[in-house]
Each structure stands twice: as C-alpha cells, then as structure tokens.
Amino acid sequence: MSKRFYITTAIDYVNGQPHLGHAYEKIVADVIARSRRSFGQEVFFLTGLDEHGQKVQQVAVAEGKTPQAYCDDLAPVWKAFIARLGLTNDDFVRTTEVRHKTVVQSILSKLHAEGHFYKAIYRGFYSTKEETFLTDKDRRPDGSFDPSYGDVIELEEENYYFRLKAHQQWLIDYIEKNPDFVCPESRRNEVLGFLKHNVLEDLCITRPANRLNWGIPIPFDPDYVTYVWFDALVNYISVPAALADPVAARAVNYQPSTINYPLSAWPADIHVIGKDILKFHSVYWPIMLKAMGAPLPKQIVVHGWWQKDGEKMSKTTGNVVDPIAVINEWGVDAFRFYVIRELDIGPDGNWTDEGFKARYKAELADALGNLVNRSLSMLKRYRNGVVPSQSNELAADAEKVVTETRSLLEQNQLQSALQTIWSLVTRANQYVDHTAPFKLAKDPTKAARLDEVLYNLAEVCRILAVLLWPFLPETASKIYAQLGLSGAPDKFAAAGWGGLKAGHSIGTPAALFPKKEP
Ligand code: ME8
C-alpha cells in the first residue's frame, strides 16, 4: 500500500451561501489533485463542512430547526455546489458525522490523559461572532474592537486550556528548517514573525455546554463541548483514521471497527487554506499533531482573498459573485479558467465582470477555441478528417511547454502553468497564420505541405487537451472527443509528441466557447 498524495481544503462553515472565495479554494485544490493523478500518483482529496458552533446554533434556532436538521438541510446544497465546480474529491467530511466526532473525542481523551490540558477561569472580552476571547492586542488604536468581531461582551468563564508554551521554540525551528512548510514565503514570514514576537497563549479548547451545546461533548467532562477549531482542524486526520490509515489511526488512538478501506494518506501533503486561518493551521494544528505524536503535514498553501470591483464582497450590499450563476451562463471551465488565470496563489484578487468577459473572449474563445476549431475543421474539410503522416515541426515547441508545465504544476504554480500552456496556443495560432493552410489547400502541388501543417495542428490540439485536463476538464474531454479519441486526456504521459497516428479519423469539430453577444 503506497502512500497517497493527500490534499485537503478548509472545511466551509455550513451557515452561509457558497461564494467565490469558497469556489476558488476548492478549484485550486482540485487542479492540484487532478494534476497529481495525471502524473500517475494516487491521490486522496478531501473537502467538507464545518457544522458546529454558536453561529450555526443561533441561525438554526432562528429558523425553528434543530442545529442537526439545519445542517442536514444545507449539506446537500454544499455537495451540489462542489459537484458543479467539477471537483474530484474522494471524500466529503461533515463534522457532525460519527466517524469524525469519535476521533475528536479520542484525541481529547488521549491528550487529557497525558496532561496537555488544565482547567482555569478566564475573565475577558468575547466575540460571539468569531467565537473567541479577545485581548488588548486585538484593540484598535482608539481602544475599540474591530467591527468584524461583532458584538463584544465581557465574560467570566471556566474552561479547559491546551498548554502551548512548551511548543513555541520547536515550531519556530521547524518552520525555519522547512522553508516549504508554509507557502508562499510572505505567509511563512508572517507566522515566524508572530511566533518570534509573541509568547504563545494557551489555547482555550472548550465552551461550557450551558452556553453552547452545539458541539462535540468533551469525553472527560459532560459540562463542556469542544471549541470549534479543536473540532474542525481534526477533520484532516479523522477521515484517514476512520478509513483505517495506520499512521492516522495510531496517532488519534482509534481503531475503526470495519477496515473496509485501508488508506495510506497521513501525513497530508497539502492543506489549501485562505489567509485568515493561517494561524490556526500553521501554529495550533502542528502543535496539536505534535502533542498527539503524529507526523506534521508537509505543506500549508495559503491563498489570498477575492474582492469584487475593488471592494470586500458582502451580501448586505449585494457586492457578490455567485459562482453558480456564472457557471450556468458561461460554463464551469470558463469559471475555473478565470479564477486560476487571474489570481496567483498568495496575493488578493479582484473579480470584475469586464475582466471575466475579456478573458473569456480573448483567451478562451478567440485563442484556444479558435485554434481547435479551425485546426480540426480544416483537417475535416481538406483531408476528410483523416490524420496525415506524422510531422514534427511544432514538436520542440510543444515539448518545451510540456516540460515547463509539468515542473510548474509540481510546484503548484498554477497561474504560471496556464500562461505557459497559452504560449503554445499562441504559437500554434501564429503557425496557422504563417503557413496559411487555407491557401495551401487551393494549390494541389502543396498537398504534402498541407499534410504537415494539418498534422502539427491536430497534434498540438491533442497535447493541449492533456495539459488542460487539470484546469478545464470538460474542454479537455471535448477536444479529445472532437479528435475522435476515446477515454479522457487524464494521463500526463500522453503529452509526448506523436500520439496521433496517421490514418486515424477524427470526430466532429464544434465550438468550444461560443461567442456571446457583448
Ligand atoms: O474559515 N476569498 O470557514 P469559512 C478567498 N470553517 N477565500 C475566501 C474568501 C474570499 N473572499 N472568504 C473565505 C472557515 N475564504 C472554517 C475553516 S478549516 C479546518 C475550518 C476562504 O467558510 C477562507 O479563507 O469562513 C477559508 O479558507 C475558506 O474560504 C472557508 O471559509
């Protein structure tokens, strides 16, 4: 049983509409997952929902439902959402599932027995919205708390705490010795700065059940439930443990009763997350794992946040992008293309409808779509759709792009990979313009030259399908089908030059990206 390449996303809060930010993160992870599978690696791709906590409890009560019924109603909406994005996740976790709750409790029991927790009274300011205690460090210069914390109340409460101080130095050393642990570098520096300039406060890991009962009960004290983050972060290891991953199961002290799916996934290779939850993933999560005796994830990939038209997206002002509406109008691949092409993993991004339409027109319809359509239409018209003998005029260009794309995908440089792939699209379009096959076709003495040109164009289209598969799976499959090839273009190894054989009959060309009225 070889270890799978294990990739996760943040699990989304169930109480809210799936939005552009959620969609972006999941597509980033999906592109990485698909590319690794295409390289021949076995992959385990996990996403899911974060369902406990005060916010869910409050909304459920307001809607006259139990929190569980509320989550059960919303979970299918989220599952339909990720299906619409074309995700290839292998599992979908809900933190209300027994398999997850059992593992959270098992970890709590283990760490409690080993003396990692203590109980203490804390008096302080509390943000219900963020479900967190605030300190003076969270105050703005004028002494007030940022409105993003919502109503801040004074609270005195006895809770369980996780001892963190002993973990500070090894974590600093670890992040320094492992430059790829937190990516991009700016986020790594942010974590190191935080760890070096602050004394780590112990982490409050419970909430009293009489104030909040929508959470996982603490196994050693029925008066408490688990704090949302000690619950949510655990999903990354609870699912492998439940699927009988030996490393995960050992670390969380849990043996699933039925071993029907022996998985080898832990440690995770990549956690894809947004910048706002960096501290939870790069400070608390590694410390939790270290305390459990589990190997740490290999990499935390941190993406930026999307705005719309230069402003924060907000339902109240109506300044939102509804991914499903965009997909319904333009197709899933246009959406996947725009978010990955527009925003590199790291900085913040800005969605504009004009920008989206401009990329659709220039890069998808006029560049890629036109290349495939005219290449295959000419092959159909001039050679009855039968592939001529192999010619290698564009082989070197294609091979260079294939090598570069692979290397960029291996480094999760998704935006650059798309740019590189488009350099081949541009090259091939220029080749059409320079060789002018429509003129060659009029001159019978140029038949051999026309054969060469048509072969090169069809073969570039085939290679593009393979390169595009992780990004634009529907389009890649359509190109394959139009080329008359069976199966999916899902094996990177097929990107070598010369895959199209002389005498092969292609299928029917059709527009990949229909032009839209302005
Ligand atoms: O934080 N642009 O859930 P969540 C890009 N349940 N990404 C965005 C974004 C935006 N405008 N808004 C949110 C949670 N995100 C927790 C996670 S993980 C163990 C628990 C990203 O629904 C955000 O950064 O608020 C996060 O990575 C993900 O969407 C889910 O956010």
Side-chain angles (χ1 to χ4, degrees):
M1 183 172 52
S2 61
K3 185 190 167 314
R4 298 231 209 158
F5 179 89
Y6 178 25
I7 181 163
T8 69
T9 69
I11 49 172
D12 302 327
Y13 287 128
V14 71
N15 57 309
Q17 284 300 312
H19 59 57
L20 171 63
H22 296 130
Y24 171 65
E25 176 175 289
K26 274 62 195 169
I27 291 171
V28 165
D30 187 61
V31 172
I32 298 174
R34 281 176 185 265
S35 62
R36 301 302 164 127
R37 285 196 203 98
S38 170
F39 297 157
Q41 278 174 278
E42 273 197 280
V43 172
F44 188 68
F45 172 18
L46 178 67
T47 187
L49 284 177
D50 191 356
E51 300 191 355
H52 290 120
Q54 193 148 342
K55 280 180 266 186
V56 175
Q57 186 171 333
Q58 282 168 346
V59 190
V61 169
E63 291 193 11
K65 293 179 183 167
T66 63
Q68 187 66 59
Y70 173 82
C71 294
D72 290 346
D73 286 348
L74 278 181
V77 175
W78 283 90
K79 283 189 178 169
F81 175 69
I82 62 159
R84 195 76 182 91
L85 299 176
L87 296 203
T88 53
N89 53 305
D90 297 283
D91 206 326
F92 185 92
V93 61
R94 296 179 54 192
T95 53
T96 50
E97 288 168 340
V98 173
R99 62 174 180 168
H100 172 74
K101 293 193 283 191
T102 314
V103 169
V104 171
Q105 291 189 322
S106 178
I107 294 171
L108 285 164
S109 298
K110 174 174 159 165
L111 296 186
H112 184 57
E114 290 171 2
H116 290 279
F117 304 149
Y118 64 93
K119 204 174 178 186
I121 294 182
Y122 186 83
R123 196 172 293 109
F125 292 96
Y126 188 78
S127 153
T128 312
K129 185 157 171 257
E130 293 301 317
E131 292 183 34
T132 189
F133 279 101
L134 302 172
T135 67
D136 284 337
K137 277 190 228 136
D138 299 305
R139 289 184 190 277
R140 297 192 292 187
D142 68 359
S144 65
F145 291 108
D146 193 275
S148 63
Y149 289 119
D151 285 340
V152 176
I153 49 172
E154 248 189 302
L155 202 68
E156 183 181 287
E157 209 166 79
E158 188 165 33
N159 270 305
Y160 285 89
Y161 288 82
F162 181 17
R163 299 176 205 279
L164 298 189
K165 291 192 184 67
H167 293 280
Q168 188 150 0
Q169 193 54 48
W170 75 255
L171 186 55
I172 294 174
D173 295 344
Y174 186 83
I175 297 175
E176 285 191 327
K177 278 198 205 102
N178 294 276
D180 293 334
F181 181 57
V182 180
C183 286
E185 202 185 347
S186 56
R187 297 296 171 199
R188 174 174 178 263
N189 292 339
E190 189 180 323
V191 182
L192 279 174
F194 168 76
L195 284 169
K196 286 179 179 175
H197 299 114
N198 295 279
V199 174
L200 267 186
E201 304 278 347
D202 292 340
L203 179 69
C204 181
I205 57 151
T206 58
R207 295 291 181 257
N210 60 12
R211 179 162 74 76
L212 168 75
N213 59 29
W214 183 234
I216 301 174
I218 298 287
F220 45 85
D221 191 335
D223 292 339
Y224 289 90
V225 298
T226 316
Y227 170 51
V228 278
W229 280 98
F230 209 97
D231 166 352
L233 288 163
V234 170
N235 90 85
Y236 302 134
I237 200 163
S238 66
V239 171
L243 296 175
D245 176 308
V247 180
R250 200 178 317 118
V252 303
N253 212 7
Y254 170 76
Q255 275 311 322
S257 48
T258 49
I259 303 186
N260 56 358
Y261 191 134
L263 177 77
S264 172
W266 194 262
D269 291 83
I270 297 181
H271 293 314
V272 181
I273 57 156
K275 62 178 184 176
D276 59 320
I277 52 177
L278 173 64
K279 189 160 100 180
F280 294 102
H281 283 79
S282 56
V283 177
Y284 300 138
W285 181 228
I287 292 177
M288 285 163 67
L289 288 165
K290 173 92 168 176
M292 286 178 224
L296 301 193
K298 295 193 188 132
Q299 193 169 56
I300 300 164
V301 170
V302 189
H303 64 76
W305 268 34
W306 282 92
Q307 295 190 323
K308 173 151 193 271
D309 299 326
E311 285 178 27
K312 191 173 184 289
M313 288 189 288
S314 145
K315 256 199 299 187
T316 348
T317 60
N319 190 43
V320 284
V321 178
D322 175 1
I324 299 300
V326 177
I327 291 170
N328 286 343
E329 185 175 354
W330 300 84
V332 64
D333 281 1
F335 182 78
R336 289 172 64 109
F337 175 76
Y338 179 73
V339 292
I340 300 294
R341 177 62 187 80
E342 179 69 20
L343 183 58
D344 197 10
I345 302 175
D348 287 339
N350 186 31
W351 176 291
T352 62
D353 291 343
E354 298 68 42
F356 176 86
K357 287 177 196 163
R359 283 203 189 279
Y360 181 91
K361 181 174 183 314
E363 289 159 76
L364 293 178
D366 293 349
L368 175 64
N370 189 30
L371 171 70
V372 174
N373 199 250
R374 57 184 178 160
S375 300
L376 302 193
S377 299
M378 288 189 292
L379 182 54
K380 198 88 188 167
R381 195 173 322 128
Y382 305 139
R383 293 292 178 264
N384 208 18
V386 179
V387 175
S389 316
Q390 182 169 339
S391 158
N392 301 332
E393 211 170 339
L394 292 179
D397 293 286
E399 276 159 13
K400 185 164 165 283
V401 167
V402 168
T403 308
E404 273 174 26
T405 304
R406 174 155 191 147
S407 154
L408 290 165
L409 283 172
E410 280 168 350
Q411 300 166 64
N412 308 322
Q413 306 269 0
L414 309 186
Q415 186 193 46
S416 304
L418 275 184
Q419 284 167 320
T420 301
I421 295 169
W422 252 256
S423 72
L424 183 59
V425 174
T426 307
R427 172 76 184 92
N429 270 324
Q430 284 165 350
Y431 180 77
V432 178
D433 298 340
H434 292 158
T435 56
F438 24 87
K439 286 191 192 146
L440 297 175
K442 291 190 184 131
D443 181 351
T445 65
K446 303 273 171 57
R449 178 63 184 145
L450 181 59
D451 278 348
E452 283 173 5
V453 172
L454 292 175
Y455 183 89
N456 279 282
L457 289 173
E459 180 61 353
V460 164
C461 292
R462 191 191 66 79
I463 289 171
L464 283 172
V466 177
L467 299 182
L468 287 170
W469 167 257
F471 302 93
L472 312 181
E474 279 192 359
T475 305
S477 297
K478 280 185 197 163
I479 299 175
Y480 241 43
Q482 293 184 22
L483 278 163
L485 298 167
S486 55
D490 58 357
K491 309 245 173 339
F492 202 88
W497 187 264
L500 268 186
K501 299 299 171 213
H504 168 80
S505 285
I506 66 163
T508 311
L512 293 171
F513 300 99
K515 288 239 168 77
K516 303 262 183 181
E517 293 310 314

